[in-house]
Amino acid sequence: QVQLAESGGGLVHAGGSLRLSCAASGRTFSNYAMGWFRQAPGKEREFVAAIDWSGGMTTYAASVKGRFAISRDNGKNTVFLQMNSLKPEDTGVYYCAARVGMAQSYRDAYRYWGQGTQVTVSS
């Protein structure tokens, strides 16, 4: 089992940037592909970005491609989400998730989840 804890959320103006972190503990971090998802009020949790165990392969939702960047540091058991050019529609609770195997974009593929961190983008 792996435990995940997100941090770095907050309130930012449109056009600003935030960097989210997700610290993992428990099993060997490098065994897991990692994903970021978000959930806005009244909406389904949606895929944002994912990264494979080595960091060599990344994938993004179309809505964030070119603005967000996912990365990982296996030595520090941490995955990051750099968010630039933020928009009000990026507002939501951001969750990191872990799975054994390849990085995936669908929510049910991930077994382990953090508690989430709130991101609010004001217009």
Side-chain angles (χ1 to χ4, degrees):
Q1 186 158 341
V2 61
Q3 293 79 42
L4 304 173
E6 303 92 338
S7 62
L11 173 63
V12 64
H13 291 298
S17 297
L18 282 174
R19 189 191 196 204
L20 305 184
S21 299
C22 173
S25 61
R27 296 289 181 90
T28 305
F29 180 65
S30 59
N31 287 348
Y32 295 88
M34 301 296 296
W36 284 98
F37 292 75
R38 66 187 181 189
Q39 188 167 16
K43 294 189 176 181
E44 295 286 322
R45 193 172 299 186
E46 65 175 4
F47 170 73
V48 175
I51 189 167
D52 73 347
W53 70 273
S54 70
M57 191 283 288
T58 58
T59 185
Y60 297 92
S63 59
V64 307
K65 198 167 188 177
R67 300 188 297 122
F68 290 12
I70 187 171
S71 61
R72 67 190 294 161
D73 184 339
N74 286 343
K76 296 183 178 179
N77 290 357
T78 304
V79 63
F80 305 98
L81 186 67
Q82 178 66 45
M83 305 187 295
N84 300 325
S85 302
L86 282 161
K87 305 175 181 180
E89 52 263 44
D90 294 318
T91 294
V93 178
Y94 282 69
Y95 298 90
C96 70
R99 71 181 306 271
V100 174
M102 296 176 63
Q104 299 285 353
S105 62
Y106 58 99
R107 182 182 61 192
D108 292 345
Y110 290 82
R111 180 175 183 181
Y112 303 106
W113 292 83
Q115 294 299 306
T117 186
Q118 176 70 45
V119 171
T120 302
V121 184
S122 63
S123 57

